[in-house]
Amino acid sequence: MREVETWEVLALRRLTELMNRVSAQDDLSVLFDMVVEGAADVVGFEVAAISVVIPSGDVQVVAVAGDDEARTELLGRVTAREVLEAEFAVAERWGSLRFVPAGQLPDGSADGWVSSHWSAPAAEDDPEAWNPQDTLVAPFFDAVGELLGILSVDLPLSGRRPDPTQRAVLELFANQTGIAVSAARQRHTLSERVRLAEAVQTVARIAQEDLDPARVVDVAAVPISVGLSTAGLWLRAFAGEEDDERESVSARSGAPVPTPDSLVAIARRLAVRSWRTAVVPVLRAGQVRSESLVEPEDASPIESFLAAAGAGSLLLAPMGSGSTCFGYIACTRGPADPEWTHAEAHAALEMGRDLGRAIRNARLYAVERRVADELREADRSRTQLFSTVSHELKNPLASVVGHVELLRQEPDGDRDWSLGVIERNTQRMLDLVDDLLTLSRVSDPDRSLPETDVDLGEVSREVVDTFRPRADNRRVTLTFELEDGVPPVRGSAGDLERVVQNLVSNAVKFTPAGGSVAVSVSGQRDRVVLECVDDGVGISEEDQAGLFTEFFRGTNPASLQIPGTGLGLSIARRVVMRHGGRIDLDSELGRGTSVRLLLPVT
């Protein structure tokens, strides 16, 4: 009796010491190893194992102590929950322990482990002798009675079934294990909440900063990766009107792992569905097809990606605001990493909402800046227009007023000269008003474009014929060439005629006597090309930059001596743009100018 009391006292002391260590342990894998080693040592068994309930409800062996053969065979083994419950149903109840004698396991139970070298030292006819096929487990529970796992023992050192004292100690082990596991999980849950709350707050702070969408993605990548404990992270913002599509990637190894192009469209569709349903999908390797948000045809590429990345699972949270999805957060974990928790999925969704608001605000701010810039530019252009028009009208008007006064003061003076000056300046003012009206008309986005077939070749021929007398007077050779079979273009004949007039007029005006102007119209695949080439004064590179700006006049003194409103090329560009075409210009100061007009055929 004294010997038993000594063993009890020793066992309880060692159990107390062990449980004190276990209670302070947060790492469950270390905790389980400590428990099984203590159970084997203190209670007196060669083998002890812990199995815990996994998310599927089944139980999996996570720690084995005392025998290498048992550890190799048992570690990682999964037993279906219904099998475990069937074993509990036929087991003898030793307090909270469950004992199933050899041969009484129900059909369908998993094969147990039997040592290849163990033999019971007790007599064969001893009813208390331990049979290697006996099963003894101690279930442990959380505070509300939910099964957390079981502590299994095998091969007692005495060769006999445990006596009441050993059973009591084993029960204490199981109870304390349940308490320690519950406490460790609570500490882990609290730590997880703190970690996730810090990550969400960090992302929220980033979202409040004045960052463009690309910067938002880059700055948020690290806190999200750390907060969600990811092995890989793909953070993508879809392209908006003012910015390009942006992706920031990171991996636990530190090396970037860009998203394969084949998966970008799949991830986009999945993110949009996720944002619409407010559900964060978790895709597990080998189980992607079971996720309701994944289209059947998308499952195989996702599985291939997970396999290539060595990932065990992928969590995808959308980034959005209101009814719009602006991107996604895709995180992976390895096969040996913990499962994604509900708290992590919820935190990822919260971070996605914060980033979505940040991207939306950044884009709204960009639009606001653009509109403000456009308004400032419009105001500047209006001020410049008033100033330029006033200047352009003031000089000829002053000349007209001056010669009218001269005619009044000197009725017998040179009337023809004064009338000529008045006529020229009046024509300048009429030309300016006409150009302003035309510029206003072709710049109006609400004005519809006439839908008629225009023979640009015939229009150009008529314009050239109109300017031929003026060219002859200036001793400039003006030629025209029309390719056969040029197709028509769609648009306004009057506007296109105005464009050709401006081009030919400029070429003739800025070509000195003895020079030449060549106009040609030809077909080029799906376009009609009009080319006007002269060997006149040319345009410097500096002046070419502002050539199509309203009221722009070149800085070349030879050009400034020739009158003009500076609106012709601006009008031409706007007309051509409305017709879906473009104007190309090639010029060199003193070497002439070549202008090419390209318009799409009907």
Side-chain angles (χ1 to χ4, degrees):
M1 183 68 179
R2 192 179 174 116
E3 196 174 296
V4 172
E5 290 178 352
T6 303
W7 181 87
E8 289 177 349
V9 172
L10 178 62
L12 288 174
R13 182 183 299 118
R14 296 180 65 185
L15 175 62
T16 302
E17 293 174 354
L18 177 64
M19 286 305 143
N20 287 336
R21 293 169 55 206
V22 165
S23 298
Q25 182 56 244
D26 287 331
D27 190 328
L28 288 177
S29 62
V30 175
L31 184 151
F32 293 144
D33 287 338
M34 293 168 62
V35 169
V36 293
E37 290 170 3
D41 183 31
V42 175
V43 186
F45 283 84
E46 281 196 27
V47 178
I50 282 185
S51 302
V52 297
V53 178
I54 57 179
S56 65
D58 300 332
V59 291
Q60 182 178 25
V61 179
V62 295
V64 180
D67 188 285
D68 291 339
E69 180 185 346
R71 183 179 294 105
T72 301
E73 185 172 340
L74 294 177
L75 199 60
R77 177 183 291 182
V78 176
T79 301
R81 182 64 173 264
E82 55 268 23
V83 171
L84 181 65
E85 292 174 349
E87 293 177 359
F88 281 7
V90 301
E92 298 178 15
R93 295 180 68 94
W94 294 351
S96 64
L97 306 182
R98 304 290 191 274
F99 176 71
V100 183
Q104 295 187 23
L105 285 172
D107 294 338
S109 294
D111 294 334
W113 172 79
V114 179
S115 174
S116 61
H117 62 269
W118 189 86
S119 60
E124 292 184 2
D125 57 353
D126 184 354
E128 294 299 315
W130 182 269
N131 187 309
Q133 294 184 341
D134 288 342
T135 300
L136 178 60
V137 298
F140 51 90
F141 306 87
D142 62 15
V144 295
E146 288 290 330
L147 181 68
L148 294 177
I150 57 175
L151 172 61
S152 308
V153 292
D154 199 1
L155 309 183
L157 298 177
S158 64
R160 297 167 58 83
R161 294 175 182 176
D163 59 28
T165 302
Q166 289 176 299
R167 297 176 192 176
V169 174
L170 188 58
E171 282 187 281
L172 283 174
F173 257 98
N175 292 337
Q176 290 298 318
T177 300
I179 294 172
V181 170
S182 294
R185 287 185 172 177
Q186 288 175 0
R187 289 194 296 271
H188 175 75
T189 299
L190 180 59
S191 174
E192 178 187 60
R193 288 177 180 173
V194 171
R195 168 173 57 84
L196 293 176
E198 289 178 349
V200 171
Q201 290 173 1
T202 300
V203 172
R205 285 196 299 271
I206 292 171
Q208 293 172 359
E209 296 177 6
D210 181 17
L211 300 174
D212 62 61
R215 286 278 295 151
V216 168
V217 168
D218 286 340
V219 174
V222 172
I224 291 177
S225 182
V226 173
L228 294 178
S229 298
T230 68
L233 172 70
W234 291 260
L235 187 60
R236 178 178 287 271
F238 302 148
E241 293 182 1
E242 301 295 323
D243 44 57
D244 297 329
E245 188 142 315
R246 179 75 174 191
E247 180 180 62
S248 181
V249 297
S250 63
R252 189 173 294 169
S253 63
V257 186
T259 307
D261 293 340
S262 59
L263 277 181
V264 172
I266 295 176
R268 182 192 295 266
R269 293 194 297 270
L270 187 57
V272 171
R273 288 192 290 271
S274 175
W275 180 251
R276 188 170 57 246
T277 60
V279 174
V280 176
V282 174
L283 312 179
R284 297 176 179 86
Q287 304 176 34
V288 174
R289 293 184 185 277
S290 63
E291 170 54 55
S292 60
L293 292 182
V294 176
E295 297 291 341
E297 64 272 18
D298 294 338
S300 181
I302 295 175
E303 290 281 12
S304 299
F305 168 70
L306 292 177
S313 61
L314 181 146
L315 178 148
L316 188 141
M319 297 189 301
S321 179
S323 60
T324 306
C325 179
F326 291 115
Y328 57 80
I329 304 168
C331 314
T332 59
R333 282 182 177 169
D337 291 335
E339 289 282 338
W340 298 100
T341 66
H342 175 74
E344 288 172 328
H346 180 72
L349 185 58
E350 284 298 311
M351 289 187 279
R353 287 170 177 160
D354 285 332
L355 292 178
R357 285 191 290 268
I359 293 173
R360 180 200 61 188
N361 292 339
R363 289 178 176 170
L364 288 176
Y365 183 52
V367 171
E368 181 182 336
R369 284 199 308 257
R370 187 194 69 213
V371 171
D373 291 342
E374 290 176 352
L375 289 174
R376 281 194 295 270
E377 178 62 24
D379 186 63
R380 187 195 64 79
S381 298
R382 183 183 61 181
T383 302
Q384 182 183 17
L385 174 65
F386 290 159
S387 175
T388 304
V389 170
S390 300
H391 176 75
E392 291 293 330
L393 288 175
K394 183 177 181 180
N395 289 338
L397 189 58
S399 181
V400 169
V401 170
H403 278 272
V404 168
E405 290 294 330
L406 182 63
L407 290 175
R408 285 177 178 173
Q409 294 173 4
E410 300 181 15
D412 298 331
D414 192 344
R415 296 174 58 87
D416 291 339
W417 173 60
S418 293
L419 290 174
V421 171
I422 292 174
E423 182 180 15
R424 288 194 300 273
N425 283 282
T426 301
Q427 188 60 50
R428 283 181 59 188
M429 289 187 286
L430 289 175
D431 290 344
L432 176 60
V433 171
D434 185 44
D435 282 346
L436 287 171
L437 291 174
T438 301
L439 180 64
S440 174
R441 180 170 51 83
V442 299
S443 301
D444 185 1
D446 297 326
R447 173 179 171 268
S448 59
L449 189 69
E451 292 291 326
T452 59
D453 287 340
V454 179
D455 187 338
L456 190 63
E458 287 304 315
V459 168
S460 301
R461 185 195 303 277
E462 293 175 2
V463 170
V464 169
D465 289 343
T466 300
F467 279 91
R468 199 176 300 281
R470 186 181 304 179
D472 291 342
N473 289 337
R474 294 178 56 85
R475 289 185 293 140
V476 172
T477 302
L478 177 59
T479 61
F480 177 72
E481 182 178 353
L482 175 61
E483 184 181 85
D484 293 336
V486 175
V489 297
R490 197 77 172 164
S492 168
D495 288 346
L496 292 175
E497 180 181 8
R498 183 62 176 266
V499 172
V500 180
Q501 287 174 348
N502 284 335
L503 297 183
V504 176
S505 174
N506 284 342
V508 172
K509 280 195 302 183
F510 293 104
T511 299
S516 64
V517 175
V519 179
S520 63
V521 178
S522 61
Q524 188 181 85
R525 295 193 299 275
D526 58 346
R527 293 179 296 185
V528 173
V529 180
L530 180 147
E531 191 165 15
C532 182
V533 181
D534 66 66
D535 54 5
V537 297
I539 308 166
S540 66
E541 290 187 13
E542 294 79 7
D543 286 347
Q544 289 180 37
L547 199 59
F548 293 95
T549 304
E550 291 82 357
F551 298 106
F552 180 82
R553 300 296 305 276
T555 58
N556 182 14
S559 300
L560 291 174
Q561 293 177 1
I562 302 174
T565 64
L567 292 174
L569 288 180
S570 177
I571 293 172
R573 184 190 63 172
R574 298 200 184 199
V575 170
V576 171
M577 289 177 62
R578 280 175 58 84
H579 283 75
R582 76 169 195 264
I583 292 182
D584 295 337
L585 183 141
D586 183 24
S587 183
E588 184 178 347
L589 192 62
R591 302 290 295 273
T593 301
S594 172
V595 182
R596 298 179 76 236
L597 171 64
L598 298 93
L599 292 170
V601 300
T602 57

